[in-house]
Amino acid sequence: MKNTISCNRKAVFQFDKKLKQNKHHMEDFSTFYFSDNSSSKRLVYKKGSGPAVILMHELPGMIPECVDLARRLAENFTVYMPLLFGEPDKPLSALGMAKYTAQLCISKEFYCFAKNKSSPITDWLKALCRHGKQECGGQGVGVIGMCLTGGFALSLMADDSVIAPVASQPSLPFGITSTHKKALGISPDDLQNAKERANSGVPILALRFSEDSISPPEKFETLRQEFGKETDTIEDSAELCWKKGTVLETMVVNSKPNNPYSIPQDSHAVLTLGFSSNPEHPTNRVFKRVVEFLQEQFEK
């Protein structure tokens, strides 16, 4: 009995210590609850100074790698990172991934399988973009969507407050059929508004790993059909295929077998789980381009 009590106390102590560590890890962020005058009210983490960038976390949730991305971005911008689901700063786990996937598939705010509808959560995110612009000033805000939220950058682009959209490994709708793989998960109205914004000078930066089946190449082909092809090749090497057009700019990191940096074929998250701090690594170079892209738009 004594040993059992001792083990239980030790487990509780370790759990409390872990909670304190997690809290400490994000103490450099301020927080506030944001509502768009509807019933939806969500916690937002904020850090940095300068122009506003809305960072939307991916399907694993607000994992530590996403928090680290926010910190890197906050060296140049004011980052707004809303908690869309899950717990903040919680490491990726298979159980958590399965849990969130199941919840999101039946969620009323996320349309995981709709080919031509914008997820309702994007209305709340548009309001947050307008809030960020109002707080930070300037011509508008940047947005970065990843995986589940990757295509949200296009829906948000339809709003006048957004001037620098980044779509990293856009995944919705999930590719259960060939038409789902091609679809962008955006409503016709939002798509039309996004194309009008593009015609007025708002570009798009899109990112993915070359062998990523969750964000299939068919989605990039649809982006080209809707926003025009990339006309200039900036780099086409064993590490990276980087092309740029009038509106669409794409960066595809090579994850084929025997690639120079031994990037796994199943790599998906370009800016978080797949990111390398090695300055020469292609994901690090992609991140630097994201920062440049945002700065270029803010300085226009």
Side-chain angles (χ1 to χ4, degrees):
M1 178 67 72
K2 185 176 180 181
N3 288 339
T4 302
I5 293 173
S6 176
C7 289
N8 287 341
R9 284 177 177 172
K10 185 177 180 180
V12 170
F13 173 77
Q14 290 175 338
F15 181 70
D16 287 342
K17 183 179 179 181
K18 183 178 179 181
L19 287 179
K20 290 178 181 178
Q21 286 175 340
N22 285 344
K23 182 179 179 182
H24 175 72
H25 285 167
M26 295 193 72
E27 281 184 349
D28 51 328
F29 289 81
S30 61
T31 60
F32 66 96
Y33 281 93
F34 179 74
S35 172
D36 62 346
N37 296 321
S38 69
S39 59
S40 183
K41 187 177 183 180
R42 295 178 182 275
L43 182 64
V44 180
Y45 288 81
K46 181 181 177 183
K47 182 176 175 63
S49 61
V53 173
I54 312 302
L55 175 62
M56 298 169 281
H57 64 76
E58 50 214 321
L59 179 55
M62 194 183 287
I63 56 176
E65 291 83 356
C66 183
V67 176
D68 288 342
L69 170 59
R71 290 192 176 103
R72 296 198 303 272
L73 290 166
E75 294 176 8
N76 294 281
F77 314 108
T78 302
V79 178
Y80 294 79
M81 183 169 56
L83 183 62
L84 303 178
F85 52 86
E87 300 176 31
D89 205 29
K90 187 173 182 178
L92 172 66
S93 70
L95 181 61
M97 188 73 166
K99 175 184 174 182
Y100 297 143
T101 301
Q103 291 176 346
L104 291 167
C105 285
I106 61 173
S107 170
K108 294 181 179 179
E109 292 189 293
F110 294 84
Y111 289 161
C112 293
F113 303 105
K115 293 175 286 187
N116 301 305
K117 291 183 179 180
S118 297
S119 291
I121 188 66
T122 57
D123 290 331
W124 183 90
L125 288 165
K126 288 175 183 176
L128 180 61
C129 289
R130 294 190 289 270
H131 174 78
K133 178 184 177 182
Q134 183 179 22
E135 276 200 339
C136 298
Q139 297 298 312
V141 307
V143 297
I144 301 175
M146 303 179 290
C147 180
L148 179 84
T149 63
F152 290 2
L154 302 177
S155 295
L156 301 189
M157 180 183 172
D159 193 272
D160 289 342
S161 64
V162 176
I163 61 173
V166 179
S168 188
Q169 73 269 8
S171 305
L172 293 188
F174 293 139
I176 55 177
T177 68
S178 58
T179 54
H180 281 84
K181 289 180 180 180
K182 295 176 183 177
L184 299 176
I186 182 173
S187 71
D189 286 345
D190 273 354
L191 180 58
Q192 181 58 39
N193 289 336
K195 291 168 76 170
E196 290 176 0
R197 299 291 316 290
N199 290 334
S200 68
V202 177
I204 302 166
L205 176 60
L207 322 170
R208 65 182 293 270
F209 283 106
S210 65
E211 307 308 296
D212 185 2
S213 60
I214 301 174
S215 178
E218 289 89 339
K219 292 193 187 299
F220 274 38
E221 285 302 319
T222 303
L223 285 174
R224 294 180 181 106
Q225 292 172 14
E226 299 293 349
F227 295 97
K229 293 182 178 181
E230 314 95 310
T231 53
D232 299 324
T233 299
I234 300 173
E235 177 178 339
D236 190 1
S237 68
E239 301 174 9
L240 178 69
C241 182
W242 180 4
K243 297 182 178 181
K244 187 175 182 180
T246 304
V247 173
L248 180 63
E249 180 177 347
T250 61
M251 302 185 79
V252 180
V253 178
N254 181 15
S255 57
K256 294 179 181 179
N258 302 314
N259 66 78
Y261 285 88
S262 300
I263 297 170
Q265 281 185 263
D266 61 354
S267 293
H268 173 62
V270 178
L271 299 174
T272 56
L273 289 167
F275 175 78
S276 171
S277 59
N278 177 353
E280 302 302 319
H281 196 278
T283 58
N284 197 299
R285 294 172 55 208
V286 168
F287 169 72
K288 291 174 182 176
R289 176 55 193 154
V290 169
V291 172
E292 291 175 355
F293 174 82
L294 293 168
Q295 291 174 330
E296 286 170 2
Q297 294 311 112
F298 292 141
E299 292 170 0
K300 281 186 176 179

